[in-house]
Amino acid sequence: MKIPPALPENPKTNIMCKISSSLKSQARPFLRPEVAAWAATSGAAIAAALATAFLLSGCAAGIVPVSKLVAPETLAASQSLGAVPSNAAWPADQWWLRYHDPELDTLMNQALAGSPTLALAEARLARANAVAGYARAQAAPGFSAAASSERGKFTENYIYPPPLGGSTFTTDTALINFNWDLDFWGKNRAAIAQARSQAHASEADLAAARLALTTSVARAWFQMQRLALLEDVTQASIQQREEILTLTRQRVAAGLDTRVELRQAESELPQARVDLAQLEESMNLARHQIAALLGAGPDAALNLPRPRAQASQTIALPASIPANLLGRRPDLVAARWRVEAADHQILRAKAEYYPDINLVASVGLISLGNSSLLHKGSENTAFGPALTLPLFSSSLDANLRIADADYDAAVEQYNAVLIDSLRDVADQIASQQALETQAQQQQQAVTTIEDAYSLALQRYKAGLGNYLTVLTAETAVLQQRRISAQLSARALDLDVELVRALGGGYDSGAPAIAQR
């Protein structure tokens, strides 16, 4: 995807452009073959008109955008991204299939079919394509038909001789008109290219909306899975604390414990029930979020089954992240297309400084009195060029400055998205590496605390310990299981986030933009 070269700069003085013998050599590259042939046979009158047009037309002020595209290879990221396996691949288009959860697959299909957000992006793409079609239509030759019948008095003090002057007649016309903008300087071609680039940007925006939708559905689904695991642990904790409270009451009655231990045991049970109520609230909110992502009402997700997703393998980090990310992240691709659209806007603004030359023609019938319209001699034909000369360039200068500013803004937006994209990938890698260390340490903690619980249970069965010690050890086990559930859910969430950071299987297949 290469930005077209800019039009040759037109030198400018304080009064007018310097017109010299180089004018002919500057104009020739922009002439289409059929236009060149027509110009060669049009005679001295048209040549004189063109020369006058150049003398009177405005000239580009020679403004040059200041922003430059950041080259991905200049952004140091090798250490943050770490070593990359040679066989690592980018995420697949339907990346969620790797979780082997049929219910998640169903939710994805429903979301892609019914999401208003996705429908909005599709509508914007349709509009961008329509704008591109309109730009193409504006550059094509146009035909129109017109017919009229007017009755009026001809003035005596004009070109109409008696008996026309001072008399009232009916004037009938029936004409077919032709208009073709010859587009000597590429204004229409730049407009078409700009609209086409904007359409490509909208297409990438649609892919970005699809990626945001699918990753949001997956994260909400995995949030439900995390909450379900925590509910299991909390239910077990409530049951365990009820047993501790019963045992403590027995020990107080036997004089083995005081009311201090009893009050402590009584306070822990309500807290566990509060935790369960909070989890149920979060679960309902997650269901409502999924229903909204599906484009449905909140009741649509009330009866969803328990999530049981499990990744078959962790997403590996592909090679050449900085360079290949340019075509893999839809938001980055959209920003890149908008840079190209802004460049075409500059070309279009520069072409406005040159005279607009249209080829116009009409053929039809004109007569005084409707009775003679179809008679011989009513034929009327006209053919010739029409020139529009931009005599004063203040508004054109302002328009060019706007185009230059838009280009700078598009470039800086692209640069910001590129830098943030690399930061996003590096963040996910750093979080996954940290989570891997946490998971290893957590596994050791779970093993240790379960061994302690097993020993306490064996001592109780052998009559060497009391049941309160067993329940206390079990409390520690439940706490560690809660942490393990959080880490397990965090692993799935980070997996989805890495998929999103890598573009979710999107591949534009477009080369990078050339530096302006």
Coordinates of all heavy atoms in Angstrom, one line a residue, residues 226-235 272-285 482 486:
R226 N -14.6 -18.2 36.5 CA -13.9 -17.8 37.7 C -14.9 -17.7 38.9 O -14.6 -18.2 40.0 CB -13.1 -16.5 37.5 CG -12.3 -16.1 38.7 CD -11.7 -14.7 38.5 NE -12.7 -13.7 38.5 CZ -13.1 -13.1 39.6 NH1 -12.6 -13.4 40.8 NH2 -14.0 -12.1 39.6
L227 N -16.0 -17.0 38.7 CA -16.9 -16.9 39.7 C -17.6 -18.2 40.2 O -17.8 -18.4 41.4 CB -18.0 -15.9 39.3 CG -17.6 -14.4 39.0 CD1 -18.7 -13.6 38.4 CD2 -17.1 -13.8 40.3
A228 N -17.8 -19.1 39.2 CA -18.3 -20.4 39.6 C -17.4 -21.2 40.4 O -17.8 -21.8 41.4 CB -18.7 -21.2 38.3
L229 N -16.1 -21.1 40.1 CA -15.1 -21.8 40.9 C -15.0 -21.2 42.3 O -14.9 -22.0 43.3 CB -13.7 -21.7 40.2 CG -13.5 -22.5 38.9 CD1 -12.2 -22.2 38.3 CD2 -13.7 -24.0 39.1
L230 N -15.1 -19.9 42.4 CA -15.0 -19.3 43.7 C -16.3 -19.6 44.5 O -16.2 -19.7 45.8 CB -14.9 -17.7 43.5 CG -13.5 -17.3 43.0 CD1 -13.5 -15.8 42.8 CD2 -12.4 -17.7 43.9
E231 N -17.4 -19.7 43.8 CA -18.7 -20.1 44.5 C -18.5 -21.5 45.2 O -19.0 -21.7 46.3 CB -19.9 -20.0 43.6 CG -20.4 -18.6 43.3 CD -21.6 -18.7 42.4 OE1 -21.9 -19.7 41.8 OE2 -22.3 -17.6 42.4
D232 N -17.9 -22.4 44.4 CA -17.7 -23.7 45.0 C -16.8 -23.7 46.2 O -17.1 -24.3 47.2 CB -17.0 -24.6 43.9 CG -17.9 -24.9 42.8 OD1 -19.1 -24.7 42.9 OD2 -17.4 -25.4 41.7
V233 N -15.8 -22.9 46.2 CA -14.9 -22.8 47.3 C -15.6 -22.1 48.5 O -15.5 -22.5 49.6 CB -13.6 -22.0 46.9 CG1 -12.7 -21.8 48.2 CG2 -12.8 -22.7 45.9
T234 N -16.4 -21.1 48.2 CA -17.1 -20.4 49.2 C -18.2 -21.3 49.9 O -18.4 -21.2 51.1 CB -17.7 -19.1 48.7 OG1 -16.7 -18.3 48.1 CG2 -18.4 -18.3 49.8
Q235 N -18.9 -22.1 49.1 CA -19.9 -23.0 49.6 C -19.2 -24.0 50.6 O -19.7 -24.3 51.7 CB -20.6 -23.7 48.5 CG -21.5 -22.9 47.7 CD -22.9 -22.7 48.4 OE1 -23.0 -22.9 49.6 NE2 -23.8 -22.1 47.6
A272 N -18.6 -15.3 55.5 CA -18.6 -16.2 54.3 C -19.8 -16.1 53.5 O -19.8 -16.2 52.3 CB -18.4 -17.7 54.8
R273 N -21.0 -15.9 54.2 CA -22.2 -15.8 53.5 C -22.3 -14.4 52.7 O -22.9 -14.4 51.6 CB -23.4 -15.9 54.4 CG -23.6 -17.3 55.0 CD -24.6 -17.3 56.1 NE -24.8 -18.7 56.5 CZ -25.4 -19.1 57.7 NH1 -25.7 -18.1 58.6 NH2 -25.5 -20.3 58.0
V274 N -21.6 -13.4 53.2 CA -21.5 -12.1 52.5 C -20.7 -12.3 51.2 O -21.0 -11.8 50.2 CB -20.9 -11.1 53.4 CG1 -20.5 -9.8 52.6 CG2 -21.8 -10.7 54.5
D275 N -19.6 -13.1 51.4 CA -18.8 -13.4 50.2 C -19.6 -14.1 49.1 O -19.4 -13.8 47.9 CB -17.6 -14.2 50.6 CG -16.6 -13.5 51.5 OD1 -16.7 -12.2 51.6 OD2 -15.8 -14.1 52.2
L276 N -20.4 -15.1 49.5 CA -21.2 -15.8 48.6 C -22.2 -14.9 47.9 O -22.4 -15.0 46.6 CB -21.9 -16.9 49.3 CG -22.8 -17.9 48.4 CD1 -21.9 -18.5 47.3 CD2 -23.5 -18.9 49.2
A277 N -22.8 -14.0 48.6 CA -23.8 -13.1 48.0 C -23.1 -12.1 47.0 O -23.7 -11.8 46.0 CB -24.5 -12.2 49.1
Q278 N -21.9 -11.7 47.3 CA -21.2 -10.8 46.4 C -20.8 -11.6 45.1 O -20.9 -11.0 44.0 CB -19.9 -10.3 47.1 CG -20.2 -9.3 48.2 CD -18.9 -8.9 48.9 OE1 -17.9 -9.5 48.8 NE2 -19.0 -7.8 49.7
L279 N -20.5 -12.9 45.3 CA -20.2 -13.7 44.1 C -21.4 -13.8 43.2 O -21.3 -13.8 42.0 CB -19.6 -15.0 44.5 CG -18.2 -15.0 45.1 CD1 -17.8 -16.4 45.6 CD2 -17.2 -14.6 44.0
E280 N -22.6 -14.1 43.9 CA -23.8 -14.2 43.1 C -24.2 -12.9 42.4 O -24.6 -12.9 41.2 CB -24.9 -14.6 44.1 CG -24.8 -16.0 44.6 CD -25.8 -16.4 45.6 OE1 -26.6 -15.4 46.1 OE2 -25.9 -17.6 46.0
E281 N -23.9 -11.8 43.0 CA -24.1 -10.5 42.3 C -23.2 -10.4 41.1 O -23.7 -10.0 40.0 CB -23.9 -9.3 43.3 CG -24.0 -8.0 42.7 CD -23.4 -6.9 43.5 OE1 -22.8 -7.2 44.6 OE2 -23.6 -5.7 43.1
S282 N -22.0 -10.7 41.3 CA -21.0 -10.6 40.2 C -21.4 -11.5 39.1 O -21.2 -11.2 37.9 CB -19.6 -10.8 40.7 OG -19.2 -9.9 41.6
M283 N -21.9 -12.7 39.4 CA -22.3 -13.7 38.4 C -23.5 -13.1 37.6 O -23.5 -13.3 36.3 CB -22.7 -15.0 39.1 CG -23.1 -16.1 38.1 SD -21.7 -16.7 37.1 CE -21.0 -17.8 38.2
N284 N -24.4 -12.5 38.2 CA -25.6 -11.9 37.5 C -25.1 -10.8 36.6 O -25.6 -10.7 35.5 CB -26.6 -11.4 38.5 CG -27.4 -12.6 39.2 OD1 -27.6 -13.6 38.6 ND2 -27.8 -12.4 40.4
L285 N -24.2 -10.0 37.1 CA -23.7 -8.9 36.2 C -23.0 -9.4 35.0 O -23.1 -8.9 33.9 CB -22.8 -8.0 37.1 CG -23.4 -7.2 38.2 CD1 -22.3 -6.4 38.9 CD2 -24.5 -6.4 37.7
R482 N -8.9 -21.2 46.6 CA -9.5 -19.9 46.1 C -8.4 -19.1 45.3 O -8.7 -18.6 44.2 CB -10.0 -19.0 47.3 CG -10.7 -17.8 46.8 CD -11.2 -16.9 48.0 NE -12.3 -17.6 48.6 CZ -12.3 -18.2 49.8 NH1 -11.1 -18.3 50.5 NH2 -13.4 -18.8 50.3
Q486 N -8.4 -18.3 41.2 CA -8.1 -17.0 40.6 C -7.0 -17.0 39.6 O -7.1 -16.4 38.5 CB -7.8 -16.0 41.8 CG -8.9 -15.8 42.8 CD -9.8 -14.6 42.4 OE1 -9.9 -14.3 41.2 NE2 -10.5 -14.1 43.3

